[in-house]
């Protein structure tokens, strides 16, 4: 039973009653001051914000109006949290009060009984409350939470981790501020993770460990299972231990694959670490990373029955059979990961945490992780200054196929390598650090997505901690690298249970001491990651750009869309950065609010000319952000295509710094804090396709990328160059090609830029097709300029009006809208012979509703009655069997490429306070920020949920749609 509602809170100094009194004679209520509604799980700052007692720290400069703990003292952020609950505990049951995370220490009072919890942000606490609970009325629970012991002070100049004092504790380090994050004033004090009550019989199960071992090229697999069984009664317990393994089939049926039972007597008051005989599987469904295959997950149920009592306890865990190993590649010097024996080229990102105030939720985690999968990423690195991520985070990484690199709580900036150098010996309490680390390992080790343990960010832990972690995380003989002795595995005696891999703390994953060691960056611990700023796109393809085989951090810009800026910054600070010319380069000067939100410029004087100004000097915020999205798309597509161009020959992987911000930052992100994607999201998504066609911007060779395990045969590359007005000036179809698996293959050099009368700005459309059926395997659209030129001719192109047709088929499943859009550029097709446009058929269920609406549009069919909105919605809802698709057209008198189109979902009615259309977020798009050549049709799938009572509309905007938006409106039913 989760205790996640009904909490109230009050500042410690404002409460006169003791914990014993609060939980017996003087239980508080929200109606009595100083008690307020509390956010649990959450933090003190989150609770104060929920009650509007502080301004929003993520808005404008309002964080500066909140008292910092360095100035207030720790007592100011020391808070009581109180709740009441009822239980229905059966006779002879045992009750357990569990805290999955408190920052930093706490006193717990339940019905007048006190427990003092030890310090440490990353450790679980379990209390036996069997004799304390009231089974016939309210139970009163009060928790007094103390902030970190060393919250530190924020220097005037800011800096990485403030004055670094937070590094003396075992807690998150970003809370003192970073170059991408403002300080968190309470340092995340609070009951920040799950609180629950559970009930067992006399024997309870703790920390099961599941391990799979493989034989015969993955054909034969064993599941190893160990768990701790504790008899909390005084009498011996005759137990039946059970493990059951099942898998859900596609039709929703559940197939039980194994049931194993074992009899065991456990003396009273003792614990037993019991290991089952390994369970044999022949060719089980394997778990694969995103882009390599399906994420098969089995359900493992572990239970214990006690004679005379019945089922005493049970636990369930989703588990994926997969084999992960890695080694330093001799060709590149980078770490090369293999999953199920297949090399995997790592393309992923760095992750801090979902929300800086720890407002973590299952739904938010799913959106975050699904976004990463939609970008075709296959790894997330959990940075050492953030969290040991939660099981919910790992659950969705399991589901969506994201490998996870998990670091412990060490950073170079705070732990011995910062300026000034501080905490050279890391946290003050090394035993506490190791206790938290060991408990975190037990919490997370069963997740298929967890691939790697790393000691710290750009630093390794102090020597004694490092040695202890190496020992704790030593590999079982089955998993030692560079390979395993299969004969040893075959002849191994399973009766030697102390050698079973599931008895290790982990034993299956490599531990590396720091993010710059052993196959990452230069492998020696030197600061050889980065850079973190704007680049010329072609530079990413040059061998001189980055020397080493695996870059754990490389970053760039990330300004969000204008609607986000308007939401996070007051109107008076919407002014865009000043462009100052100096020595031939533009230097951007942001206003103080943008600077506070960590904006980084789109130019680097002396090295990189301003990439926004290449499209013409921005006129206002909307223009600035639209042009910034063009740069975002090119920047991140080029970054990943540049790395992939040298797959295995120079690189084994890259992790982008970073994929998102835990607050309303204006740098390094693919989506903003409100979950709206930037164009960089879709540039990265394109570049990271498992099968991809791309242009090497340094050599101008067209390349085919095949990251899959299967060869490509009978494929062709269709290359066409288009001018602004829509004429096709160059077209080439390659011969039939074959591409080996795990290979980037140069095909031919582009001829067009060398052609006479080449246009200063032109569009390049690359398509990789299956010759046998003309299916498009990859489509990639570039806008390019001649050497020494820019994109300013595109500015005049904005006045053009290209005709578009959009069709919509919208299905409502529960609370989720799914819209299948088709966008057609109606411009007259150019004489570009042999072009293969998209022709896609969609198959749907009969539960459909279709709605379109737009000013200045033509709606088909022609006999559509001119009725009011509600009548038209009603007719759509009840005419499901007709499967009528309505079509809307945007008229246009010009022909040409429909450039940089992008969908958004809004509420149909405007916000009465701002007059702005309200965005509905998050939204999942199969693609966005796309362009269409004349005659081309592109399907886009869109899914989203809407708040109760909100009618959504889907809006299509673009560079040259003359300011008209196409709204496809749906209604719930």
């Amino acid at each position: 039973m989760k205790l996640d509602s009904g909490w109230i809170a009050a500042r410690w100094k404002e409460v006169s009653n003791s914990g014993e009194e609060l939980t017996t004679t003087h239980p508080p209520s929200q109606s009595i001051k100083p008690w307020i509604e509390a956010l649990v799980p959450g933090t003190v700052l989150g609770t104060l914000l929920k009650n509007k007692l502080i301004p929003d720290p993520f808005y404008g400069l309002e964080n500066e109006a909140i008292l910092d703990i360095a100035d207030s003292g720790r007592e100011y952020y020391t808070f009581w949290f109180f709740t009441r609950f009822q239980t229905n505990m059966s006779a002879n049951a045992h009750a357990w009060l569990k805290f999955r995370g408190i920052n930093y220490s706490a006193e717990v009072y339940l019905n007048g009984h006190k427990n003092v919890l030890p310090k440490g942000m990353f450790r679980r606490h379990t209390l036996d409350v069997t004799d304390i609970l009231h089974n016939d009325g309210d139970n009163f629970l009060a928790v007094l939470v103390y902030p970190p012991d060393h919250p530190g002070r924020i220097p005037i100049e800011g800096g990485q981790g403030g004055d670094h004092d937070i590094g003396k504790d075992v807690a998150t380090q970003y809370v003192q501020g970073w170059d991408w994050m403002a300080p968190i004033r309470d340092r995340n004090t609070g009951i920040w993770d799950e609180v629950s009550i559970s009930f067992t019989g006399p024997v309870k199960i703790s920390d099961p460990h599941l391990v799979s071992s493989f034989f015969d090229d993955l054909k034969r697999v064993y599941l190893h299972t160990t768990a701790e069984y504790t008899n909390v009664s005084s009498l011996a317990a005759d137990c039946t231990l059970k493990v059951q393994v099942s898998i859900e089939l596609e039709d929703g049926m559940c197939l039980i694959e194994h049931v194993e039972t074992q009899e065991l007597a456990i003396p009273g008051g003792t614990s037993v670490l019991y290991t089952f005989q390994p369970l044999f599987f022949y060719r089980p469904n394997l778990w694969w990373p995103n882009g390599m295959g399906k994420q098969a997950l089995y359900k493992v149920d572990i239970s214990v029955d006690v004679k005379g009592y019945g089922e005493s306890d049970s636990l369930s865990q989703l588990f994926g059979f997969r084999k992960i190993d890695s080694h330093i590649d001799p060709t590149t010097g980078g770490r090369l990961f293999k999953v199920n024996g297949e090399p995997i080229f790592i393309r992923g990102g760095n992750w801090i945490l979902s929300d800086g105030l720890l407002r973590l939720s299952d739904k938010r985690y799913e959106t975050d992780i699904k976004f990463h999968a939609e970008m075709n990423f296959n790894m997330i690195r959990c940075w050492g200054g953030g969290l040991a991520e939660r099981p919910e985070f790992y659950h969705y990484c399991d589901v969506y196929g994201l490998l996870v690199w998990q670091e412990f709580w060490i950073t170079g900036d705070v732990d011995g390598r910062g300026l000034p150098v501080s905490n050279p010996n890391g946290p003050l309490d090394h035993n506490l650090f190791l206790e938290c680390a060991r408990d975190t390992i037990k919490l997370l080790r069963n997740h298929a997505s967890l691939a790697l343990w790393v000691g710290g960010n750009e630093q390794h832990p102090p020597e004694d901690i490092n040695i202890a972690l190496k020992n704790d995380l030593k590999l079982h003989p089955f998993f030692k690298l560079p390979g395993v002795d299969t004969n040893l595995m075959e002849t191994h005696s399973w009766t030697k249970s102390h050698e079973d891999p599931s008895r290790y703390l982990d034993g299956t994953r490599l531990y590396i001491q720091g993010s710059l060691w052993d196959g990452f960056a230069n492998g020696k611990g030197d600061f050889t990651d980065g850079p973190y700023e704007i680049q010329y796109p072609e530079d990413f393809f040059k061998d001189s750009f980055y020397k080493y085989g695996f870059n754990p951090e490389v970053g760039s810009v990330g300004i969000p869309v204008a609607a986000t800026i308007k939401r996070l910054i007051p109107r008076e600070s919407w002014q865009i950065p000043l462009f100052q010319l100096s020595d031939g380069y533009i230097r951007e000067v942001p206003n103080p609010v943008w600077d506070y939100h960590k904006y980084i410029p789109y130019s680097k004087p002396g090295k990189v000319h301003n990439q926004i100004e290449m499209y013409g000097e921005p006129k206002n915020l909307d223009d600035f952000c639209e042009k910034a999205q063009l740069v975002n798309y090119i920047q991140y597509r080029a970054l990943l295509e540049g790395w992939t161009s040298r797959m295995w020959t120079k690189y084994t992987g890259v992790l982008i710094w970073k994929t998102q911000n835990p607050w309303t930052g204006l740098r390094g992100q693919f989506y903003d804090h409100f979950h709206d994607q930037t164009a960089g999201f879709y540039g990265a998504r394109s570049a990271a396709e498992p099968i991809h066609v791309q242009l090497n911007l340094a050599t101008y060779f067209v390349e085919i990328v095949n990251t899959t395990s299967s060869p490509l045969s009978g494929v062709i590359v269709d290359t066409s160059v288009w001018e602004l007005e829509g004429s096709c000036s160059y077209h080439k179809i390659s011969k039939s090609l074959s591409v080996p698996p795990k290979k980037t293959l140069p095909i031919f050099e582009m001829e067009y830029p060398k052609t006479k009368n080449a246009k200063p700005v032109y569009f390049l459309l690359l398509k990789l097709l299956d010759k046998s059926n003309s299916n498009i395997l990859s489509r990639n659209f570039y806008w390019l300029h001649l050497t020494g030129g820019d994109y300013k001719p595109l500015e005049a192109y904005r006045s053009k009006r290209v005709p578009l047709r959009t069709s919509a088929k919208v299905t409502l499943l529960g609370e989720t809208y799914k819209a299948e859009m088709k966008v057609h550029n109606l411009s007259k097709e150019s004489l570009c012979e042999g072009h293969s446009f998209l022709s896609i058929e969609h198959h749907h269920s009969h539960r459909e509703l279709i709605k379109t609406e737009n000013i200045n549009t033509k709606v088909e069919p022609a006999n559509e009655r001119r009725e009011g909105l509600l009548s038209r919605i009603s007719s759509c809802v009840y005419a499901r069997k007709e499967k009528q698709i309505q079509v809307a057209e945007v008229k246009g008198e010009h022909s040409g490429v429909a450039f940089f189109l992008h969908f958004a979902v809004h509420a149909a009615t405007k916000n009465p306070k701002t007059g702005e259309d309200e965005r509905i977020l998050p939204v999942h798009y199969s693609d966005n920020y796309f362009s269409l050549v004349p005659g081309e049709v592109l399907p886009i799938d869109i899914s989203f949920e809407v708040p109760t009572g909100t009618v959504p509309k889907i809006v299509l905007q673009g560079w040259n749609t003359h300011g008209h938006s196409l709204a496809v409106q749906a209604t719930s039913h």
Side-chain angles (χ1 to χ4, degrees), residues 530-598:
Y532 306 92
E533 56 211 357
I534 192 74
Q535 306 292 331
Y536 288 128
E538 60 269 22
D539 286 352
F540 290 115
F541 293 82
K542 298 175 181 177
D543 284 340
S544 59
F545 181 73
Y546 189 72
K547 297 180 180 179
Y548 308 107
F550 193 119
N551 194 342
E553 296 183 16
V554 57
S556 190
V557 291
I559 198 77
V561 298
T564 292
I565 300 286
K566 294 173 182 178
R567 183 172 171 179
L568 68 90
I569 287 175
R571 180 180 292 270
E572 58 270 21
S573 297
W574 288 0
Q575 65 266 31
I576 63 178
L578 299 175
F579 282 19
Q580 297 181 346
L581 191 62
S582 176
D583 295 328
Y585 288 86
I586 288 175
R587 183 172 70 92
E588 290 187 39
V589 182
N591 70 59
V593 181
W594 287 44
D595 192 52
Y596 191 81
H597 285 261
K598 313 299 183 178

Side-chain angles (χ1 to χ4, degrees), residues 259-564:
V259 178
E260 178 78 13
T261 60
Q262 180 65 47
E263 304 299 319
L264 181 68
I266 305 177
T270 64
S271 294
V272 174
L273 192 66
Y274 183 81
T275 301
F276 285 85
Q277 286 294 314
L279 303 179
F280 174 72
F281 293 78
Y282 182 72
R283 291 185 181 273
N285 296 326
L286 298 180
W287 184 94
W288 291 95
N290 187 35
M292 293 184 70
K294 294 182 179 180
Q295 292 74 49
L297 292 170
Y298 289 75
K299 184 169 180 274
V300 180
D301 295 296
I302 301 172
S303 61
V304 54
D305 279 32
V306 174
K307 186 177 181 180
Y309 184 88
E311 184 176 274
S312 183
D313 198 8
S314 63
L315 297 173
S316 293
Q317 173 76 53
L318 290 178
F319 182 76
F321 288 103
R322 66 29 173 179
K323 179 183 178 184
I324 296 179
D325 55 42
S326 67
H327 64 273
I328 297 176
D329 175 46
T331 301
T332 64
R335 183 156 292 278
L336 192 157
F337 286 84
K338 288 186 176 182
V339 179
N340 301 329
E342 296 286 345
I344 174 171
F345 188 69
I346 297 297
R347 292 175 293 187
N350 285 267
W351 166 272
I352 312 303
L353 71 163
S354 184
D355 178 69
L357 298 187
L358 302 186
R359 294 168 294 188
L360 310 176
S361 70
D362 197 74
K363 181 172 286 190
R364 187 172 179 91
Y365 270 135
E366 181 174 18
T367 299
D368 284 325
I369 304 309
K370 189 175 181 181
F371 274 178
H372 285 74
E374 287 171 345
M375 286 189 284
N376 292 311
F377 285 1
N378 52 31
M379 179 176 277
I380 296 177
R381 173 193 172 210
C382 293
W383 177 74
L387 291 179
E389 266 301 350
R390 301 296 87 197
E392 292 78 11
F393 170 94
Y394 276 91
H395 166 74
Y396 288 112
C397 288
D398 291 347
V399 168
Y400 290 107
L402 275 299
L403 297 171
V404 184
W405 156 339
Q406 179 67 64
E407 287 178 2
F408 296 108
W409 317 283
I410 295 289
T411 67
D413 297 283
V414 172
D415 296 291
R417 301 183 80 168
L419 292 174
V421 173
S422 58
N423 306 318
N425 202 30
L428 296 180
D429 190 336
H430 289 197
N431 288 331
L432 172 60
F433 186 98
L434 288 170
E435 287 174 10
C436 289
R438 289 162 183 153
D439 196 57
T440 295
I441 293 164
K442 291 178 181 178
L443 179 67
L444 303 177
R445 63 190 177 185
N446 291 328
H447 287 280
S449 54
L450 179 57
L452 186 70
W453 299 106
V454 178
N457 164 63
E458 299 178 335
Q459 176 65 303
H460 59 73
E463 184 177 4
D464 60 324
I465 293 178
N466 202 26
I467 291 172
L469 288 173
K470 287 180 179 179
N471 184 64
D472 287 345
L473 293 169
K474 64 185 177 183
L475 293 172
H476 185 275
F478 287 1
F479 303 93
K480 285 188 176 178
L481 305 178
V484 273
D485 186 343
T486 306
N487 292 324
L488 169 67
M489 297 169 70
E490 292 283 10
T491 60
H492 179 76
S493 172
W494 297 117
T495 60
K496 299 178 181 178
S497 60
H498 66 280
E499 290 183 337
D500 189 281
S502 63
R503 295 181 72 89
Y504 277 51
L505 182 61
D506 186 332
T508 67
R509 299 171 180 89
L510 200 62
Y511 167 76
I512 291 176
Q513 61 183 339
S515 65
L516 302 175
W517 280 263
D518 300 323
F520 299 121
N522 77 348
K524 302 174 183 178
D526 299 320
F527 286 110
T528 47
D529 46 4
Y532 306 92
E533 56 211 357
I534 192 74
Q535 306 292 331
Y536 288 128
E538 60 269 22
D539 286 352
F540 290 115
F541 293 82
K542 298 175 181 177
D543 284 340
S544 59
F545 181 73
Y546 189 72
K547 297 180 180 179
Y548 308 107
F550 193 119
N551 194 342
E553 296 183 16
V554 57
S556 190
V557 291
I559 198 77
V561 298
T564 292

Side-chain angles (χ1 to χ4, degrees), residues 809-812 817 847-851 876-877 970-971 973:
K809 184 182 289 187
V810 182
T811 306
L812 180 61
Y817 287 81
R847 295 179 60 84
E848 298 168 348
L849 52 132
I850 298 93
K851 191 76 201 73
C876 290
V877 171
T971 183
H973 64 93

